[in-house]
Amino acid sequence: MELPNRSYIDSLCRGDKVFENRLLSVIKAEFPVEKDIYYKALAVKNIEEIAEAVHKLKHKISILGLEKGYALAAQYENDIRDDKFDLAQSFEEILDSMTEYLKTL
């Protein structure tokens, strides 16, 4: 399984610690909220809200260096609109790995 990493963040920030800290602060603040929105929308089967939550989360997936995870999230977002949830477990495993990784930053 692909693991979250700082490769994209490091290349984006190019040593600018102020920018890096600001970026990480935004991710740490927004990610849990967006993840919660995803699970709440999933519980009530609100297709539009689920897809919107996945859309927002996929950008954080990308920022944390998960290239395959981003592709999976993009496919899952499209599948949701067709009421297909085959990728839900894989997507949620990505969310779990991100949750654990963010605790280390």
Side-chain angles (χ1 to χ4, degrees):
M1 174 190 222
E2 187 180 36
L3 297 174
N5 60 75
R6 297 176 51 105
S7 61
Y8 180 75
I9 292 170
D10 291 343
S11 69
L12 185 65
C13 297
R14 294 181 293 175
D16 184 339
K17 291 297 181 187
V18 172
F19 179 57
E20 178 182 322
N21 290 336
R22 207 174 301 145
L23 178 61
L24 289 172
S25 292
V26 169
I27 293 169
K28 287 179 179 182
E30 290 180 357
F31 175 74
V33 173
E34 292 170 3
K35 184 174 85 167
D36 189 49
I37 290 168
Y38 165 75
Y39 282 113
K40 285 179 179 176
L42 192 62
V44 297
K45 295 284 187 195
N46 184 323
I47 300 298
E48 286 304 314
E49 283 188 29
I50 298 167
E52 179 68 23
V54 171
H55 178 78
K56 290 180 179 179
L57 286 162
K58 80 179 177 186
H59 296 293
K60 288 173 181 63
I61 291 169
S62 175
I63 290 170
L64 290 180
L66 297 164
E67 294 176 22
K68 292 176 185 173
Y70 179 86
L72 184 139
Q75 182 62 54
Y76 182 44
E77 180 183 1
N78 289 331
D79 288 353
I80 290 165
R81 297 190 193 283
D82 293 329
D83 203 23
K84 295 187 330 190
F85 291 85
D86 298 342
L87 297 176
Q89 182 176 350
S90 297
F91 179 75
E92 291 164 12
E93 288 172 2
I94 293 167
L95 297 182
D96 291 343
S97 71
M98 291 172 64
T99 299
E100 292 305 310
Y101 182 72
L102 289 172
K103 290 178 185 176
T104 70
L105 298 179

